Amino acid sequence: MPNKPTKETFVTEITPRSEDFSRWYLDLVRRAELADYSPVKGCMVIRPYGYAMWELIQQALDARIKATGHVNAYFPLFIPNSLLTKEAEHVEGFSPQVAYVTHAGGEELEEKLVVRPTSEAIIGTMYANWVQSWRDLPILINQWANVVRWEKKTYPFLRTTEFLWQEGHTAHETEDEAEAETLKILDLYADVCESVLAMPVVKGRKTESEKFAGALRTYSIEALMGDGRALQAGTSHNLGQNFAKAFDIKFQARDKSVQHVWGTSWGVTTRLVGGLIMTHGDDSGLVLPPNVAPYQVVIVPIGRENWRETVLPKALEIQRALAGAGVRVTLDERDERPGWKFAEWELRGVPLRLEIGPKDIEKSAVLVARRDTREKQSLAMDGLPQRILQLLEEAQANLLQRARQFREEHTQRAGSYAEFREMMEGRPGFVIAPWCGAADCEARIKTDTQATIRNMPTANVPPGSCVRCDNPAKAEAWFAKAY
RNA sequence: CGGGAUGUAGCGCAGCCUGGUUAGCGCACCUGACUGGGGGUCAGGGGGUCGCCGGUUCGAAUCCGGCCAUCCCGACCA
């Protein structure tokens, strides 16, 4: 049922966040035209507005990946099945999710092809040909690609059968270098999340049971969504020599010995778009940080029947001035009522709305409404672009600050298991607790509370015993119910 | 893949139990007029193989069977 518009929400047709977070999210994805369901099960269409957000994330990430010495390349979508099966743990981990091509060209293929769920196998195979000497290292390659993982349960952006991502694959001379690379990328991801998406993340190491199939160690960044559930926003893996041994990636070292390379791989996906929605959105719709807003400013002309003659020229002038200052700006000159346009652009999360009407022109001013705070103020036309840039920065900073505060308010420390369970049943969020390191303890906690260890931010061993058993603690773990 | 629910216009739904003219409502959409600083009003209009296949019947959106899809809850995942 459509909701009555109120002063607070202004928007119809979106389930209130507090009423049903999941429906709110799905309504928003559809109404803001970010994505649409497709005829293919589990596969969504990313619509232009949603794709524009992904493109901005790509640009920010790509620039940072290149600035740290990596280069882009492209590897095939299809992988011969025999290659995928070379690394035992890797196959075992991925086989339930793999899609195969068995027929092509009107015939059954001699060897079925895997539609890549990730590219370690094909890239490792190529690296084996490319590496001879320590002088060939490191190899620092990234690719932007689509991958397919057959999922039982799908959800727009957060979990779809086909998704877009970037995957970096590097090969190094030493273990230390590979570990440094793994952590460097983790920092890079965290920086993009915080400075571009205004989405604070917790960096840490994954447990054995949650690590990437075939990796030595997996690190992740974890964000907290508006409903108190955690979202894995990116992963970085130290592959050790596992894939090098499986794919025979060897080099002659400085000391003349022949050794296997040390590998890493790392990725973030279109899931980030979902994370963005769930971090900042409200009952009126999306709230976009300026750095990922396809439009940072929308200009809405206000006026009487002849506004096209009286107001539009001024609006166009402002548009040109802002565009000239590097602002992504659009002018809404559709023949709709202003109030309707306000609601529509709020739904789409545009950070700043400029209202320009006869009254403003008279005062040589313009009315600015902020999406993040809903504050309105009149600004002089003089020096407007500089003031707008300043407001965009303020909005960006405010959103990060607000999200940080939300996370802090939803992060607790548990001393006992009783307390832990109570916290997990009560207000959702992160619970920090000492853990003994045993997989069965971890599994038991999941059965009892649905919470999993998201990651372990430090290598420090906390004093005392495991939150669930009496064994000494080996790590401080961040628990949460996760997407 | 197990348990529950739902498929009727782009979206949200009524009609089904108790079969029977032309399948209806709200929003959205199209045309026109008046409007225009927070989702306006009026008038006119377009849009449906009632998820698919089969059965029962003189007659099926409605009853029966099968299939498919989607959503919610549990086991796997970025």
Side-chain angles (χ1 to χ4, degrees):
Chain A
M1 52 168 180
N3 305 300
K4 292 252 156 48
T6 66
K7 278 235 164 69
E8 286 70 42
T9 65
F10 302 130
V11 168
T12 55
E13 293 179 39
I14 295 182
T15 305
R17 228 172 76 133
S18 55
E19 186 184 307
D20 184 340
F21 193 86
S22 173
R23 270 195 63 183
W24 165 82
Y25 175 81
L26 295 169
D27 285 350
L28 194 41
V29 165
R30 184 171 47 78
R31 277 285 286 126
E33 299 184 350
L34 301 177
D36 204 354
Y37 294 100
S38 78
V40 188
K41 181 181 162 66
C43 295
M44 65 171 179
V45 174
I46 305 177
R47 302 185 66 176
Y49 197 66
Y51 198 76
M53 287 161 59
W54 174 239
E55 284 182 313
L56 288 163
I57 294 170
Q58 273 189 302
Q59 284 165 24
L61 202 51
D62 197 59
R64 285 166 172 81
I65 288 170
K66 285 172 180 161
T68 43
H70 304 83
V71 289
N72 284 338
Y74 188 79
F75 294 84
L77 170 68
F78 300 120
I79 302 173
N81 188 47
S82 57
L83 292 187
L84 188 78
T85 56
K86 279 191 174 180
E87 213 287 331
E89 205 179 313
H90 190 58
V91 203
E92 201 190 326
F94 276 103
S95 61
Q97 290 188 279
V98 163
Y100 292 100
V101 177
T102 57
H103 291 74
E107 297 174 9
E108 186 169 350
L109 298 174
E110 271 184 41
E111 183 184 358
K112 62 185 177 184
L113 295 171
V114 170
V115 180
R116 66 177 164 219
T118 177
S119 303
E120 276 75 8
I122 187 85
I123 292 179
T125 302
M126 300 312 296
Y127 282 7
N129 295 334
W130 296 346
V131 177
Q132 320 284 332
S133 135
W134 64 271
R135 292 176 205 278
D136 297 325
L137 298 172
I139 298 185
L140 305 173
I141 290 182
N142 175 63
Q143 83 164 342
W144 289 95
N146 58 339
V147 287
V148 168
R149 297 183 187 177
W150 222 252
E151 296 286 350
K152 304 250 161 94
K153 197 182 158 186
T154 59
Y155 205 53
F157 290 110
L158 297 192
R159 189 176 298 101
T160 49
T161 298
E162 179 188 8
F163 57 91
L164 306 183
W165 74 346
Q166 66 56 225
E167 48 178 326
H169 296 267
T170 68
H172 306 264
E173 220 179 317
T174 66
E175 180 170 16
D176 286 352
E177 210 183 305
E179 181 71 6
E181 166 79 4
T182 310
L183 293 173
K184 179 200 282 183
I185 295 296
L186 195 70
D187 285 342
L188 187 156
Y189 284 163
D191 177 53
V192 168
C193 286
E194 304 206 343
S195 64
V196 179
L197 307 185
M199 184 170 80
V201 293
V202 182
K203 292 183 283 188
R205 184 175 164 183
K206 284 287 193 184
T207 65
E208 278 302 295
S209 69
E210 298 251 340
K211 77 170 190 195
F212 178 74
L216 200 60
R217 282 190 283 280
T218 288
Y219 298 89
S220 75
I221 48 171
E222 304 280 335
L224 195 62
M225 302 294 100
D227 61 347
R229 291 173 74 185
L231 182 75
Q232 180 171 305
T235 47
S236 186
H237 317 291
N238 183 335
L239 303 177
Q241 291 179 307
N242 295 346
F243 285 84
K245 285 175 181 165
F247 293 95
D248 209 27
I249 315 173
K250 287 187 290 200
F251 69 101
Q252 189 157 24
R254 295 168 203 251
D255 65 3
K256 298 181 186 169
S257 68
V258 175
Q259 301 181 13
H260 288 103
V261 300
W262 298 83
T264 82
S265 70
W266 26 275
V268 300
T269 75
T270 32
R271 168 179 274 191
L272 287 178
V273 176
L276 194 57
I277 300 166
M278 290 189 167
T279 300
H280 304 297
D282 64 21
D283 282 353
S284 299
L286 285 175
V287 179
L288 294 180
N291 292 346
V292 266
Y295 298 119
Q296 297 168 312
V297 173
V298 57
I299 303 171
V300 178
I302 315 279
R304 309 271 162 184
E305 66 281 348
N306 60 341
W307 64 270
R308 283 185 185 275
E309 285 77 49
T310 56
V311 177
L312 194 56
K314 198 73 193 170
L316 283 163
E317 195 184 302
I318 294 171
Q319 184 184 25
R320 273 194 300 273
L322 292 179
V327 175
R328 292 188 290 274
V329 55
T330 186
L331 170 61
D332 189 351
E333 52 174 304
R334 288 176 295 177
D335 207 7
E336 298 284 357
R337 295 172 62 84
W340 186 88
K341 293 180 182 177
F342 295 171
E344 201 63 23
W345 290 109
E346 272 163 15
L347 173 69
R348 286 180 165 72
V350 177
L352 295 181
R353 178 181 71 241
L354 300 195
E355 302 171 27
I356 170 101
K359 291 183 218 164
D360 307 291
I361 292 176
E362 224 171 274
K363 293 187 294 183
S364 191
V366 61
L367 197 67
V368 182
R370 264 174 74 164
R371 180 66 180 87
D372 61 327
T373 60
R374 295 198 176 281
E375 288 164 357
K376 287 190 185 187
Q377 56 178 308
S378 185
L379 292 183
M381 216 75 94
D382 234 22
L384 187 68
Q386 289 68 36
R387 189 72 187 102
I388 292 296
L389 288 170
Q390 205 179 348
L391 282 174
L392 289 172
E393 268 178 43
E394 280 175 39
Q396 180 78 33
N398 177 49
L399 286 173
L400 177 60
Q401 157 62 23
R402 194 202 274 179
R404 277 206 177 116
Q405 190 181 336
F406 176 85
R407 188 185 68 192
E408 276 161 27
E409 287 167 0
H410 293 261
T411 301
Q412 308 172 82
R413 281 178 187 274
S416 69
Y417 198 44
E419 195 182 16
F420 182 93
R421 297 182 69 153
E422 201 176 301
M423 284 173 175
M424 279 301 170
E425 277 167 28
R427 200 169 63 157
F430 284 120
V431 176
I432 305 171
W435 172 57
C436 62
D440 59 331
C441 225
E442 181 187 10
R444 179 61 193 275
I445 292 172
K446 186 176 181 184
T447 312
D448 288 348
T449 67
Q450 288 178 28
T452 49
I453 296 177
R454 299 322 305 154
N455 64 26
M456 297 165 287
T458 68
N460 299 342
V461 176
S465 60
C466 175
V467 71
R468 203 200 134 251
C469 66
D470 290 330
N471 293 326
K474 291 225 178 82
E476 191 163 73
W478 284 52
F479 292 84
K481 293 175 187 171
Y483 272 98

